[in-house]
Amino acid sequence: MVNFVLVAGARLGAWAWDEVVPYLRAAGHGVYPLTLSGLADKRGVLAGQQTHVQDIVAEVERQGLCDVVLVGHSYSGIPVGQAAERIGDRLARVVFVDSSVPTDGESFASVWPDGGAGVKASIAENGGFWPLVPASHYDGEGLTDEQIARLLHGSTPHPGATLTEPALLAGLLGDLPATYIQCLLAGAELDDDVAELLNSEYWQLVKMDTGHWPMFSQPRELAQILLDAAGE
């Protein structure tokens, strides 16, 4: 038995894993979907990036979890990657679901082609939050109209400081046991930093023939990949 801590990406909360959780629990594992500060039912809570890291570490400690598989989707790969090294020998594996990965001293926004200027401008124009996106944002991602409607209904503006503050890593991310899930409809090429990390003997690449939100488009398939990762 392992304990999965599931953290969805920007604008999302624990609810995003609703269709994945039953498969993991049916296999006999502990499952802890987590909403980060400032999102979903925790909307209105001020949060920076280290707040989100601490949210994850605190959940592991509060629940007294061992044999932890930390799962980070999209933006949340950045706080999950930092939390993974901070929980020490409680960690069994970290799984990055089509996600960003933390680089010491760099933020989520700073690695964008424009250096994050567009993200920062959008945050400044929206009261310190990264705003919601239109339905067209989800086009071509393997989602049904119903799934897109769920995403639109459940999403909340994302606290901007979490996207612009730098990651803090004490060690090398490539030294952690990790699985990276690449969602092919979101792009055929891996980011350079992910490709470099996959050279590590401790990292594994798994590809899914779906878009950037597999917990909605292919929840059963995603759950099976998580179970396979936990079994290694």
Side-chain angles (χ1 to χ4, degrees):
M1 173 182 170
V2 301
N3 291 294
F4 291 96
V5 177
L6 308 174
V7 192
R11 308 182 183 94
L12 306 178
W15 62 271
W17 301 98
D18 283 354
E19 293 189 23
V20 175
V21 167
Y23 294 108
L24 302 179
R25 287 188 174 150
H29 300 294
V31 190
Y32 302 86
L34 178 64
T35 294
L36 298 175
S37 296
L39 296 160
D41 55 301
K42 297 179 182 177
R43 185 174 183 175
V45 178
L46 294 177
Q49 188 183 123
Q50 293 308 307
T51 312
H52 282 180
V53 176
Q54 186 54 35
D55 285 343
I56 300 163
V57 174
E59 179 72 1
V60 171
E61 293 177 346
R62 183 176 68 86
Q63 300 284 359
L65 303 180
C66 295
D67 297 317
V68 175
V69 178
L70 289 182
V71 181
H73 162 253
S74 193
Y75 149 77
S76 289
I78 292 180
V80 160
Q82 294 170 79
E85 70 171 15
R86 298 185 194 182
I87 66 172
D89 60 7
R90 293 175 182 261
L91 181 73
R93 195 167 192 88
V94 57
V95 182
F96 297 95
V97 182
D98 212 46
S99 76
S100 302
V101 293
T103 299
D104 188 56
E106 298 286 351
S107 70
F108 171 84
S110 66
V111 299
W112 287 39
D114 65 353
V119 173
K120 292 176 182 178
S122 180
I123 291 168
E125 292 166 3
N126 289 276
F129 288 85
W130 207 24
L132 300 179
V133 296
S136 59
H137 183 72
Y138 301 103
D139 288 349
E141 297 288 347
L143 296 160
T144 66
D145 289 345
E146 180 183 359
Q147 289 163 348
I148 292 172
R150 286 176 55 214
L151 279 159
L152 293 172
H153 176 75
S155 295
T156 48
H158 190 94
T162 68
L163 307 175
T164 59
E165 293 177 355
L168 302 173
L169 288 172
L172 298 175
L173 198 62
D175 288 344
L176 297 177
T179 298
Y180 191 91
I181 299 174
Q182 180 188 15
C183 295
L184 296 175
L185 293 184
E189 297 297 326
L190 291 166
D191 290 343
D192 290 344
D193 52 355
V194 174
E196 182 176 348
L197 285 163
L198 284 165
N199 289 323
S200 167
E201 63 180 303
Y202 304 112
W203 278 56
Q204 176 192 33
L205 175 65
V206 178
K207 298 181 180 182
M208 294 186 73
D209 189 17
T210 191
H212 186 59
W213 291 270
M215 63 279 283
F216 293 90
S217 59
Q218 293 188 1
R220 180 173 59 82
E221 293 85 350
L222 175 58
Q224 187 58 56
I225 291 171
L226 297 180
L227 292 170
D228 291 345
E232 292 182 358

